[in-house]
Amino acid sequence: MIIPLPKKANAQSSSQHWYTMDGNACHRQSDGKPTTLRHARKQNLVPSVSGILGMIEKPQLTKWKADMMVRKCIENPYKPGEAEQDYIDRMHGFAKQDKNEILGFGTRVHNAIEMWNLGKYDEAEDPEIFPYLDTYIRWAQKNLKRVIAAEKTVVNKKLGYGGTIDLIAEINGVRGVCLIDYKTQRWNAEKKPSFHDSWVWQLAAYRKTMRPNPNCISLVISATDPRPVIEKRWTPTELQAAWRLFCAANTIWQESKKYTPNHEFNQPSNN
């Protein structure tokens, strides 16, 4: 079950995210418009990890999109007399609506977890999400020793990329600091969650913004119904392989965009 977005809630923008060399988010300009590659060149901004990983084909995501579109076509058959392009546009509209609902649900869960980690959670703001948040709370009460930072922006100046880490914390039974990334996914007793390669690629990039390099954990929160959180602790071997792949993707991004951020450049304002 996917809980529909409240009218006041919006799914996150799919626009490329950008960061300053100082580690500040710069997704929009002072006039409110989304930051673009043109702005980034002038202001020496770095792209997000997710933007760089967008250079890599993700078969499981492509299949999910195709399945979603086919399902919509089955549920909404062609109308007699309807122009072919009109039907195509109508199906894309349905698929986009479903995608926004799924992204919106994930954003709401992320926001609720962030507020809880910071001791600022107010159930009254989004009561429908609490049963899903509660699955995380149960995991945290068992595993979370100390919150160091939530929604922390980081930058690797040398390689020219940045991002936002869901949680930096100390975990029971794990030596040193951990980076923790939350994902929402549809799964149940018959269909267990999938830990996609792209998740460890992302974490491998984040960990290279910190010294010493921390441990990395992915948490999956069921979007089907409230179920116990499933975790995966990525091994050093998995993280090393993921780092090599991310570096290759970063090179492809910089070469294809013809833009390499300069870590020695003095940051101008974004006016």
Side-chain angles (χ1 to χ4, degrees):
M1 177 183 70
I2 296 295
I3 300 175
L5 277 72
K7 291 182 179 180
K8 66 179 181 180
N10 293 309
Q12 282 184 319
S13 169
S14 59
S15 300
Q16 167 76 60
H17 285 176
W18 301 90
Y19 297 85
T20 69
M21 282 290 178
D22 295 330
N24 296 313
C26 188
H27 309 328
R28 292 186 176 275
Q29 296 294 290
S30 57
D31 58 5
K33 294 181 180 179
T35 298
T36 65
L37 179 59
R38 180 176 62 84
H39 297 124
R41 293 181 193 278
K42 293 181 178 180
Q43 299 164 25
N44 196 43
L45 304 177
V46 300
S48 67
V49 168
S50 57
I52 291 169
L53 290 176
M55 305 300 293
I56 302 174
E57 171 67 10
K58 302 173 182 66
Q60 76 281 354
L61 180 59
T62 301
K63 182 180 183 303
W64 175 79
K65 290 179 178 179
D67 288 349
M68 184 170 63
M69 181 59 73
V70 171
R71 190 174 295 113
K72 282 301 170 185
C73 291
I74 294 172
E75 294 172 353
N76 301 274
Y78 175 80
K79 297 177 180 179
E82 185 175 20
E84 182 179 282
Q85 190 58 52
D86 289 343
Y87 179 65
I88 292 172
D89 292 342
R90 185 160 64 91
M91 292 308 99
H92 276 294
F94 282 131
K96 184 176 181 181
Q97 181 179 6
D98 277 4
K99 178 183 175 183
N100 286 341
E101 287 184 359
I102 292 169
L103 291 175
F105 174 81
T107 299
R108 292 162 68 193
V109 170
H110 271 71
N111 291 342
I113 293 175
E114 177 190 1
M115 292 297 99
W116 188 86
N117 284 331
L118 296 174
K120 300 178 181 179
Y121 177 70
D122 181 358
E123 183 179 349
E125 291 187 2
D126 196 354
E128 291 177 316
I129 288 297
F130 180 76
Y132 298 87
L133 169 64
D134 191 50
T135 65
Y136 170 79
I137 294 174
R138 292 173 183 273
W139 177 90
Q141 289 173 338
K142 180 180 177 180
N143 297 280
L144 190 59
K145 185 188 299 182
R146 182 171 73 95
V147 171
I148 298 173
E151 294 296 312
K152 173 69 174 177
T153 57
V154 293
V155 164
N156 184 316
K157 294 183 179 181
K158 182 177 180 181
L159 293 184
Y161 68 84
T164 303
I165 300 171
D166 287 344
L167 181 65
I168 304 173
E170 293 178 351
I171 299 297
N172 292 328
V174 179
R175 185 176 180 180
V177 172
C178 290
L179 303 188
I180 301 173
D181 187 64
Y182 330 121
K183 302 294 184 186
T184 53
Q185 189 179 110
R186 292 180 177 178
W187 66 276
N188 51 42
E190 291 73 35
K191 180 183 180 295
K192 295 299 182 183
S194 301
F195 289 87
H196 300 303
D197 291 341
S198 57
W199 297 1
V200 69
W201 301 342
Q202 182 183 34
L203 284 167
Y206 289 158
R207 76 192 291 261
K208 288 295 184 177
T209 66
M210 300 173 63
R211 294 289 183 183
N213 297 157
N215 302 287
C216 294
I217 299 175
S218 289
L219 300 181
V220 177
I221 297 162
S222 173
T224 308
D225 50 37
R227 292 174 174 271
V229 169
I230 302 296
E231 72 170 52
K232 179 174 177 59
R233 301 184 181 190
W234 300 97
T235 67
T237 300
E238 289 171 323
L239 288 164
Q240 289 162 10
W243 173 241
R244 291 192 295 272
L245 187 143
F246 176 80
C247 288
N250 192 39
T251 298
I252 293 171
W253 189 95
Q254 292 180 356
E255 293 295 333
S256 65
K257 305 296 183 184
K258 297 180 175 59
Y259 171 58
T260 301
N262 181 359
H263 66 276
E264 297 180 349
F265 184 80
N266 290 325
Q267 195 80 35
S269 67
N270 65 344
N271 293 326

